[in-house]
Amino acid sequence: MASVAVTKAPAEEVDVRLVDQEKINEFGRLNNRLLEIRADVVQCKADSEKMDDATAEMMMSTDGKFMLLIGESFVEVDEDYATEYCEGKLKALQAKVAKLSEEETDILKRQELLKKELYGRFGDSINLEN
């Protein structure tokens, strides 16, 4: 009995057009931006936790005077101002996270479209996975 080995024929080489190269480059730029966004979101969430901790510490304090770091200087402020300041910073961080999440969603949608187009043209000869 003879054995027959079946091998898959090598994929046809497809020429890379300028339009294709531009799409590949766009995908790469989007991927880099996506990594930056995700790092920024992690940093914002860590900063939010610090602000929450600072607010909790202010509530437990009894003297009513606080040292607030603004730039490179400490400024003595009362409890109301410090609480307002922390709440304002917390809202700004939450808004930034929401904006970054929206941008992440837009990038993922665009990457899916580019993947579909590029895999349709190049098949298995291109790898667009992270």
Side-chain angles (χ1 to χ4, degrees):
M1 181 175 260
S3 65
V4 177
V6 178
T7 59
K8 191 175 182 180
E12 240 182 77
E13 283 203 27
V14 180
D15 290 333
V16 179
R17 302 173 303 189
L18 178 62
V19 174
D20 300 327
Q21 187 62 50
E22 288 172 349
K23 289 177 183 178
I24 293 168
N25 293 345
E26 180 183 0
F27 186 88
R29 284 191 306 273
L30 289 172
N31 202 44
N32 288 338
R33 179 64 184 141
L34 190 60
L35 294 174
E36 290 172 5
I37 287 171
R38 289 178 177 164
D40 286 349
V41 167
V42 168
Q43 183 62 48
C44 285
K45 287 182 179 180
D47 291 346
S48 292
E49 286 180 25
K50 289 178 186 175
M51 282 295 157
D52 284 338
D53 292 344
T55 303
E57 287 292 324
M58 284 189 298
M59 289 180 191
M60 289 189 281
S61 177
T62 57
D63 63 356
K65 295 288 182 183
F66 299 95
M67 298 299 289
L68 193 62
L69 179 65
I70 299 179
E72 294 181 6
S73 303
F74 284 96
V75 179
E76 188 173 318
V77 297
D78 63 359
E79 184 176 357
D80 292 336
Y81 184 83
T83 303
E84 243 179 71
Y85 180 82
C86 286
E87 288 173 354
K89 285 288 190 180
L90 192 57
K91 285 181 184 177
L93 287 168
Q94 290 169 343
K96 185 176 180 180
V97 167
K99 180 183 171 207
L100 290 171
S101 296
E102 183 179 322
E103 186 178 352
E104 180 181 12
T105 302
D106 293 342
I107 287 174
L108 290 172
K109 286 179 185 175
R110 179 64 183 153
Q111 280 186 322
E112 282 302 314
L113 180 65
L114 288 170
K115 278 184 185 181
K116 184 186 286 185
E117 292 173 4
L118 291 169
Y119 279 131
R121 173 134 170 87
F122 295 105
D124 291 338
S125 64
I126 190 167
N127 181 13
L128 298 173
E129 301 303 317
N130 294 336

